[in-house]
Amino acid sequence: MENRFTIGLGKNYNPHDIEKKVKVFWDEENIYGLVKEKLKGGKRFYFLDGPPYPSSPTFHPGTGWNKIIKDSVLRYKRLCGYDVVDTPGYDTHGLPIEVKIEKELGVNTKKDISTKLGIDLFIERCKDFVLKNVDALTRGFKDLGVMMDWEKPYLTLHNSYIENSWQLIKKADEKGLLDIDLRVVHWCPRCETVLADYEVSQEYREITDPSIYVKFPVEGEDRTYIVIWTTTPWTIPANTFVMARSDAPYVKIKYQDEYLIMSEVSAKRLFNEDEYSVVERYSGKDLEGLRYTHPLHDLVEIQKKLHEFHKVVLADKYVNLEEGTGFVHSAPGHGAEDFDVAKTINAPVYSLIDDEGKFTRDAGKYFGMYFREANDEIIKDLESRGYLLRKGRITHRYPLCWRCKTPLLLRATRQWIIRASKLRDLAVSEINKVNWIPRWAHDRIASVVENMQDWVISRQRFWGIPLPIWVCGSCGNRVVVGKVSELVNYSPSMYPPKDLHRPWIDQVELKCPKCNGTMKRVPDVADVWLDSGVAFYASLGDNGLDKFNKLENVDFIVEGHDQTRGWFFSLLRSGLILVGRSPYKTVLVHGFVLDEKGREMHKSLGNFVEVAEIIRKHGRDPFRLFMLSSTVWEDLRFSDKKIQEARRILNIVWNVYSFAKSYMEVDNFKFDRSSIDRYSGILRVEDRWILSRFYSVLKNVNDKLEGYRIHEAVDELVDFMVNDISHLYLRIIKRRVWIEENTDDKLAVYTVLFKILRDWIIAFSIVAPHISEYIYQGFVRSIDENSRSSVNLENWPNIEEYRRFHNDELEKAVDVLRDVHEALLSARMKAGIKVRRPVEKCLVLTSNDHISSSINTVGTLIKELVNCSEVVVDSLSNKDKYMYRDVEPDLARIGREFRGLSSRIVDFIRNNQDLVINELTSKGYIEFSIDGHKVKITRDDVKVLEKFKPDYAFVERDWGYAGITLKVSDELLALGIARELVRRIQVMRKELNLDLLDEIKAVIYVDDQDLVNVIMKVRDYIMNETRSIELNVTSSKGDVSNMDLVREWDIDGALFIIGIVKVK
RNA sequence: GGGCCCGUAGCUCAGCCUGGUGGAGCGCCCGGCUGAUAACCGGGAGGUCGGGGGUUCAAAUCCCCCCGGGCCCA
């Protein structure tokens, strides 16, 4: 049945092959559908996908990481029996897409879209573009093995989504939070729309602007001026007043034949000391109300209305003395601070720039000029009138439009806002109820929330959610619509448009309930943060809010840390407006994918790596393992080498299952659930250990996954497979499974091994689903006939089944075993004795009770691993049995101290070693006389060396010594040679490509009758190990011509000729 | 300018919350294994734990300052 899932010896791990087959299997068998069916009615787990922006058909590796993290969590929850909400989403509206379509169509202005092209065509193109990209992205995500409801994603462009989103605005209106207000906003004159502060901050660039000092004539005083400084001459026509700082020192100076008023520091900065003289001093307060005449009042129409406000206004907050003149020229229509101050003095707010960035009629002479291009003209006019004090250029950081790189301008406009600042306190308390992982994510959102501002929701564009606000042309009454069906209430004869986008929705006119007048929709669309912010209920389809209320809250979201200020915040804000609380319970934050050097990956930097390319090169599972091993909330450095490492780990996984499968298959082993009980009485220490160990691993993995510390859980799983199963357990049990009969002992091993391997691969499927499915099909299903049709239909391993095996002491004993094992191998190495050669005894000298009792527990394993006949634990106090001490005189010291007597003293020490050592250890010194001279030797004059008796090889560790005996009995020698011969014959079998079960006849020739006799003693052993039905050992060169393979071997200097032939 | 994260072996990173002789993998050098074999095992070299100060018997770990990198915001 599982031809396509072949596992076994000789089959290598090939990710591409495996992944392809598994994908076909999942599709053909509709595994996703079966999983959904299985989980239907289970506990709900509401996961909400942060919708990526489909502006391109390919995605960043970071987006891949994002989806893979989500996938691992969802897979875990499904295996645990949760009926998960796994709808993927796409954030489909917004200007970047409009800009792309504009480029495709070759239109440059907003007006072109509405007049020449037609909004309907434009919207259709946006939609087509988005849907095409959504398709491609979905294929890409699916290809990574991400299991979500790809057939039914939520798109913010769906009618149901738009309709759901309207409820937020309606709710805001009901709560009295919706308003229309004059706001100074960043405006892109090319896109002709407002930008949110958030959008502005993304794109500051160094640009060069004029830097001018302008003289504003003081009213009623001859040749006297207030001096201001600006880098935006185009705002001067809109100047309304001048701000000063009350506590700052100002001066009136005489410069040439004029009088200039400015801050004291700026005078010093602008002029040399001998160029001017101070005429009068003021503090800012003294200057309050000082009136001036606008320098271009006769050229600018609107200035006629502004004359009464032309005076000095105190505004300490907004005037800094480090730059400029201490006077800030203020145009309330073009500066946020100016706007604030204007309100306090009831000054009017005029913006002289229109949507396209051109001066309006109010600007008089400058009417029709583009704002930045008017700079030169304005400077020229100021200069010709004698009002320009200085001019220069300055390079400074200036905000550009992040989509089209056009320099922005500040402009007062009427915008729809939601007064979110009123919800600030609620927000602060709500974020404390959310589980932020890691904890510092809370601090980050806190700093965002504490500054929560009113939310400008309107955008003057096309491709977005239309604001559901209708205003009456006659009486100004406004209506906010929360559902399409409500439209009919206002206008019974009306058919709602099939598509709720502009321009179709614009044609819907309602009858004013107050005056029967005609109500038209406001032309704006919504800020895209409204789109994604309402996803917590809008993504749930028709009547999303009702469904959300049933689910209670979003259980889990995870996005990159850039989304703190983005989606996490916008979801929260929308939740507060609509349901008065945080809409999510747990937030996991993940890092960014950077390139190898830690720089951001960008196509423009040339360090961008396509996901498709990674998959082609390494495979999906290695990529997933690599990403899921990385600390979730820290940035991840992309690295080919690390992916290869991940692949190597998967290769070990593969080899373990391949090993297990080969043997279980040969023995026709079948697993059934009761067998673990049947064999529990005869389990060996290693079996009990690995079961206990798996309990501990499972416990840690569960804890870590519940806390979303995914990378730690993955580490734990991988470490268990590589270090506990592959490196230790398999090595220990190898001999037990080589036995040919189906002994209970072997069946017990198989049972333990199978159970653990089955449960492990189920757990691992959340990390590497393809190889896990493949192994589940090729290994688990062929040995356990009661298994499910897919690993995805399994249950998460039940830790309770392992609890009774938990034995902490045993686990610690095996830690000791590892330590001692390593020390003993090191001792063998020191003595130059290969592991293949058996030794008589392994010795452990220690006074550490934990070490000695542990060895008593696991001593049999040491015998197996170190290849010795006996393990002896002895107390450290008995070490004299194995070692002796030498005293080595320190010649330099003794020579210096005793001069002529030195050589005789040295001789004495060397000839009386025992005496010297005893005296030195008991008293710390020894006295004797040479030629009647009294000599006192201390510990410092000699070195005491510990040496081992020649029969032993020891190494030192912090707990004592580990060693082996070097004397070898004839029997052991024979066994050693046997293992050398076995190994060579195995190599030859391999060379002939023999099957595990094939039998051979063999002949061994060696020109030494003694060796022949030795070998004859272990002939049976050799035959058994090599599956030989006949073995001829001889010292006479016989006939080897009918052998399949003949080889010469050099073993410890003796020449052996071995021939083998396969039995047909 | 502010908030947060990171800085540990040649490279990539654990360890830090809860102070007690600095670890792993990769790479390198030497050796071994050979019925998992394009796999595996052992040994070795390699660290001023970014720098400086403080607390403490004891600091990679806690506190303060500084330097470098990143993210978010001004």
Short mmCIF file of all heavy atoms in Angstrom, two decimals, chain B residues 38-50:
data_model
loop_
_atom_site.label_atom_id
_atom_site.label_comp_id
_atom_site.label_asym_id
_atom_site.label_seq_id
_atom_site.Cartn_x
_atom_site.Cartn_y
_atom_site.Cartn_z
P A B 38 26.49 6.89 2.04
OP1 A B 38 25.13 6.47 1.81
OP2 A B 38 27.46 6.86 0.96
"O5'" A B 38 26.52 8.35 2.67
"C5'" A B 38 27.72 8.80 3.28
"C4'" A B 38 27.85 10.28 2.96
"O4'" A B 38 27.88 10.42 1.53
"C3'" A B 38 26.63 11.06 3.46
"O3'" A B 38 27.01 12.27 4.05
"C2'" A B 38 25.80 11.30 2.22
"O2'" A B 38 25.22 12.63 2.16
"C1'" A B 38 26.84 11.25 1.09
N9 A B 38 26.25 10.69 -0.13
C8 A B 38 26.05 9.38 -0.47
N7 A B 38 25.49 9.21 -1.64
C5 A B 38 25.31 10.50 -2.11
C6 A B 38 24.77 11.01 -3.29
N6 A B 38 24.28 10.24 -4.25
N1 A B 38 24.73 12.33 -3.43
C2 A B 38 25.22 13.10 -2.45
N3 A B 38 25.77 12.75 -1.30
C4 A B 38 25.78 11.42 -1.19
P A B 39 27.56 12.73 5.25
OP1 A B 39 27.15 14.12 5.51
OP2 A B 39 28.99 12.39 5.24
"O5'" A B 39 26.84 11.78 6.30
"C5'" A B 39 25.50 12.05 6.68
"C4'" A B 39 25.04 10.99 7.63
"O4'" A B 39 25.42 9.69 7.11
"C3'" A B 39 25.66 11.01 9.01
"O3'" A B 39 25.08 11.99 9.85
"C2'" A B 39 25.37 9.60 9.48
"O2'" A B 39 24.02 9.43 9.78
"C1'" A B 39 25.71 8.82 8.21
N9 A B 39 27.14 8.49 8.18
C8 A B 39 28.13 9.01 7.40
N7 A B 39 29.32 8.53 7.65
C5 A B 39 29.10 7.64 8.68
C6 A B 39 29.96 6.80 9.40
N6 A B 39 31.27 6.72 9.19
N1 A B 39 29.41 6.02 10.37
C2 A B 39 28.10 6.09 10.59
N3 A B 39 27.18 6.85 9.97
C4 A B 39 27.76 7.60 9.02
P C B 40 25.94 12.78 10.82
OP1 C B 40 25.05 13.69 11.56
OP2 C B 40 27.11 13.31 10.09
"O5'" C B 40 26.47 11.66 11.81
"C5'" C B 40 25.55 10.91 12.59
"C4'" C B 40 26.26 9.81 13.30
"O4'" C B 40 27.00 8.99 12.35
"C3'" C B 40 27.33 10.25 14.28
"O3'" C B 40 26.79 10.69 15.49
"C2'" C B 40 28.15 8.97 14.42
"O2'" C B 40 27.48 8.03 15.23
"C1'" C B 40 28.15 8.46 12.98
N1 C B 40 29.36 8.93 12.25
C2 C B 40 30.60 8.37 12.60
O2 C B 40 30.65 7.51 13.48
N3 C B 40 31.71 8.79 11.95
C4 C B 40 31.61 9.71 11.00
N4 C B 40 32.74 10.08 10.40
C5 C B 40 30.36 10.30 10.63
C6 C B 40 29.27 9.88 11.28
P C B 41 27.53 11.80 16.31
OP1 C B 41 26.58 12.26 17.33
OP2 C B 41 28.18 12.76 15.40
"O5'" C B 41 28.67 10.96 17.03
"C5'" C B 41 28.35 9.88 17.87
"C4'" C B 41 29.60 9.24 18.38
"O4'" C B 41 30.31 8.65 17.25
"C3'" C B 41 30.62 10.19 18.98
"O3'" C B 41 30.32 10.51 20.32
"C2'" C B 41 31.90 9.38 18.86
"O2'" C B 41 31.95 8.34 19.81
"C1'" C B 41 31.71 8.75 17.47
N1 C B 41 32.31 9.57 16.40
C2 C B 41 33.70 9.58 16.26
O2 C B 41 34.38 8.91 17.06
N3 C B 41 34.27 10.31 15.28
C4 C B 41 33.50 11.02 14.45
N4 C B 41 34.10 11.72 13.50
C5 C B 41 32.08 11.03 14.56
C6 C B 41 31.52 10.29 15.55
P G B 42 30.85 11.86 20.92
OP1 G B 42 30.17 12.04 22.21
OP2 G B 42 30.80 12.92 19.90
"O5'" G B 42 32.38 11.54 21.19
"C5'" G B 42 32.75 10.55 22.15
"C4'" G B 42 34.24 10.39 22.16
"O4'" G B 42 34.69 9.98 20.84
"C3'" G B 42 35.03 11.67 22.41
"O3'" G B 42 35.08 11.98 23.79
"C2'" G B 42 36.39 11.29 21.85
"O2'" G B 42 37.07 10.41 22.71
"C1'" G B 42 35.98 10.52 20.59
N9 G B 42 35.89 11.41 19.42
C8 G B 42 34.76 11.86 18.78
N7 G B 42 35.02 12.62 17.75
C5 G B 42 36.41 12.68 17.71
C6 G B 42 37.27 13.36 16.81
O6 G B 42 36.98 14.07 15.85
N1 G B 42 38.61 13.16 17.13
C2 G B 42 39.06 12.39 18.18
N2 G B 42 40.38 12.31 18.33
N3 G B 42 38.26 11.74 19.02
C4 G B 42 36.96 11.94 18.73
P G B 43 35.26 13.45 24.25
OP1 G B 43 35.18 13.45 25.72
OP2 G B 43 34.36 14.31 23.45
"O5'" G B 43 36.75 13.78 23.81
"C5'" G B 43 37.84 13.18 24.50
"C4'" G B 43 39.13 13.53 23.83
"O4'" G B 43 39.06 13.12 22.43
"C3'" G B 43 39.45 15.01 23.74
"O3'" G B 43 39.98 15.51 24.95
"C2'" G B 43 40.48 15.03 22.61
"O2'" G B 43 41.72 14.54 23.05
"C1'" G B 43 39.85 14.01 21.65
N9 G B 43 39.00 14.67 20.66
C8 G B 43 37.63 14.66 20.58
N7 G B 43 37.18 15.35 19.55
C5 G B 43 38.33 15.85 18.94
C6 G B 43 38.48 16.67 17.78
O6 G B 43 37.61 17.13 17.05
N1 G B 43 39.82 16.93 17.51
C2 G B 43 40.87 16.47 18.26
N2 G B 43 42.08 16.83 17.85
N3 G B 43 40.75 15.70 19.34
C4 G B 43 39.45 15.44 19.61
P G B 44 39.72 16.99 25.36
OP1 G B 44 40.28 17.17 26.71
OP2 G B 44 38.31 17.32 25.10
"O5'" G B 44 40.61 17.79 24.31
"C5'" G B 44 42.02 17.63 24.31
"C4'" G B 44 42.64 18.36 23.16
"O4'" G B 44 42.09 17.88 21.91
"C3'" G B 44 42.36 19.85 23.10
"O3'" G B 44 43.21 20.58 23.97
"C2'" G B 44 42.62 20.17 21.64
"O2'" G B 44 44.02 20.24 21.38
"C1'" G B 44 42.08 18.92 20.95
N9 G B 44 40.70 19.11 20.46
C8 G B 44 39.54 18.62 21.02
N7 G B 44 38.48 18.95 20.34
C5 G B 44 38.95 19.69 19.28
C6 G B 44 38.27 20.31 18.20
O6 G B 44 37.05 20.33 17.96
N1 G B 44 39.13 20.98 17.34
C2 G B 44 40.50 21.03 17.51
N2 G B 44 41.16 21.73 16.58
N3 G B 44 41.15 20.45 18.49
C4 G B 44 40.33 19.81 19.34
P A B 45 42.72 21.90 24.63
OP1 A B 45 43.58 22.16 25.82
OP2 A B 45 41.26 21.87 24.79
"O5'" A B 45 43.09 22.98 23.52
"C5'" A B 45 44.42 23.13 23.06
"C4'" A B 45 44.43 23.89 21.76
"O4'" A B 45 43.66 23.15 20.78
"C3'" A B 45 43.74 25.25 21.82
"O3'" A B 45 44.62 26.26 22.29
"C2'" A B 45 43.33 25.47 20.37
"O2'" A B 45 44.41 25.91 19.59
"C1'" A B 45 42.95 24.05 19.95
N9 A B 45 41.52 23.78 20.08
C8 A B 45 40.86 23.17 21.12
N7 A B 45 39.56 23.06 20.93
C5 A B 45 39.36 23.64 19.70
C6 A B 45 38.20 23.84 18.92
N6 A B 45 36.98 23.46 19.29
N1 A B 45 38.34 24.46 17.73
C2 A B 45 39.57 24.84 17.35
N3 A B 45 40.73 24.70 17.97
C4 A B 45 40.55 24.08 19.16
P G B 46 44.11 27.27 23.37
OP1 G B 46 45.24 28.17 23.66
OP2 G B 46 43.45 26.52 24.45
"O5'" G B 46 43.00 28.10 22.60
"C5'" G B 46 43.36 28.92 21.49
"C4'" G B 46 42.11 29.33 20.75
"O4'" G B 46 41.40 28.15 20.32
"C3'" G B 46 41.08 30.08 21.60
"O3'" G B 46 41.38 31.47 21.65
"C2'" G B 46 39.78 29.80 20.87
"O2'" G B 46 39.62 30.67 19.77
"C1'" G B 46 40.01 28.37 20.35
N9 G B 46 39.38 27.38 21.24
C8 G B 46 39.91 26.79 22.36
N7 G B 46 39.10 25.95 22.93
C5 G B 46 37.96 25.98 22.14
C6 G B 46 36.74 25.26 22.25
O6 G B 46 36.42 24.45 23.11
N1 G B 46 35.85 25.61 21.23
C2 G B 46 36.11 26.50 20.23
N2 G B 46 35.14 26.69 19.34
N3 G B 46 37.26 27.16 20.11
C4 G B 46 38.12 26.86 21.09
P G B 47 41.81 32.15 23.00
OP1 G B 47 42.94 33.02 22.78
OP2 G B 47 41.84 31.14 24.08
"O5'" G B 47 40.56 33.10 23.23
"C5'" G B 47 39.32 32.58 23.54
"C4'" G B 47 38.32 33.69 23.65
"O4'" G B 47 37.08 33.04 23.90
"C3'" G B 47 38.58 34.64 24.83
"O3'" G B 47 38.37 36.00 24.46
"C2'" G B 47 37.61 34.18 25.94
"O2'" G B 47 36.94 35.26 26.57
"C1'" G B 47 36.58 33.34 25.18
N9 G B 47 36.26 32.09 25.87
C8 G B 47 36.97 31.37 26.78
N7 G B 47 36.35 30.30 27.20
C5 G B 47 35.14 30.33 26.52
C6 G B 47 34.04 29.44 26.55
O6 G B 47 33.90 28.42 27.21
N1 G B 47 33.03 29.85 25.69
C2 G B 47 33.07 30.97 24.90
N2 G B 47 32.01 31.21 24.15
N3 G B 47 34.08 31.80 24.86
C4 G B 47 35.08 31.42 25.70
P U B 48 39.48 37.09 24.68
OP1 U B 48 39.42 38.06 23.59
OP2 U B 48 40.74 36.34 24.93
"O5'" U B 48 39.08 37.88 26.01
"C5'" U B 48 39.01 37.22 27.25
"C4'" U B 48 38.96 38.25 28.35
"O4'" U B 48 39.89 39.31 28.06
"C3'" U B 48 37.63 38.97 28.51
"O3'" U B 48 36.75 38.19 29.30
"C2'" U B 48 38.04 40.26 29.21
"O2'" U B 48 38.24 40.07 30.58
"C1'" U B 48 39.40 40.54 28.54
N1 U B 48 39.26 41.46 27.40
C2 U B 48 39.30 42.81 27.66
O2 U B 48 39.41 43.26 28.77
N3 U B 48 39.17 43.62 26.57
C4 U B 48 39.04 43.22 25.25
O4 U B 48 38.94 44.06 24.37
C5 U B 48 39.01 41.79 25.06
C6 U B 48 39.12 40.97 26.11
P C B 49 35.38 38.67 29.80
OP1 C B 49 35.27 40.14 29.84
OP2 C B 49 35.04 37.89 30.97
"O5'" C B 49 34.48 38.14 28.60
"C5'" C B 49 33.96 39.03 27.61
"C4'" C B 49 32.64 38.50 27.12
"O4'" C B 49 32.46 37.14 27.58
"C3'" C B 49 31.44 39.28 27.60
"O3'" C B 49 30.55 39.43 26.52
"C2'" C B 49 30.85 38.40 28.68
"O2'" C B 49 29.46 38.54 28.78
"C1'" C B 49 31.20 37.01 28.18
N1 C B 49 31.27 36.01 29.25
C2 C B 49 30.21 35.08 29.36
O2 C B 49 29.28 35.15 28.56
N3 C B 49 30.25 34.16 30.34
C4 C B 49 31.29 34.13 31.17
N4 C B 49 31.29 33.19 32.11
C5 C B 49 32.37 35.05 31.08
C6 C B 49 32.31 35.96 30.10
P G B 50 29.63 40.70 26.37
OP1 G B 50 29.17 41.20 27.66
OP2 G B 50 28.70 40.20 25.35
"O5'" G B 50 30.54 41.83 25.71
"C5'" G B 50 31.44 41.52 24.67
"C4'" G B 50 32.08 42.80 24.22
"O4'" G B 50 31.08 43.61 23.53
"C3'" G B 50 32.59 43.69 25.34
"O3'" G B 50 33.88 43.32 25.77
"C2'" G B 50 32.54 45.07 24.69
"O2'" G B 50 33.62 45.24 23.80
"C1'" G B 50 31.25 44.96 23.87
N9 G B 50 30.07 45.37 24.65
C8 G B 50 28.99 44.59 24.98
N7 G B 50 28.10 45.23 25.69
C5 G B 50 28.62 46.50 25.83
C6 G B 50 28.10 47.63 26.51
O6 G B 50 27.04 47.75 27.12
N1 G B 50 28.95 48.72 26.40
C2 G B 50 30.14 48.73 25.74
N2 G B 50 30.82 49.87 25.76
N3 G B 50 30.65 47.68 25.11
C4 G B 50 29.84 46.61 25.20
#
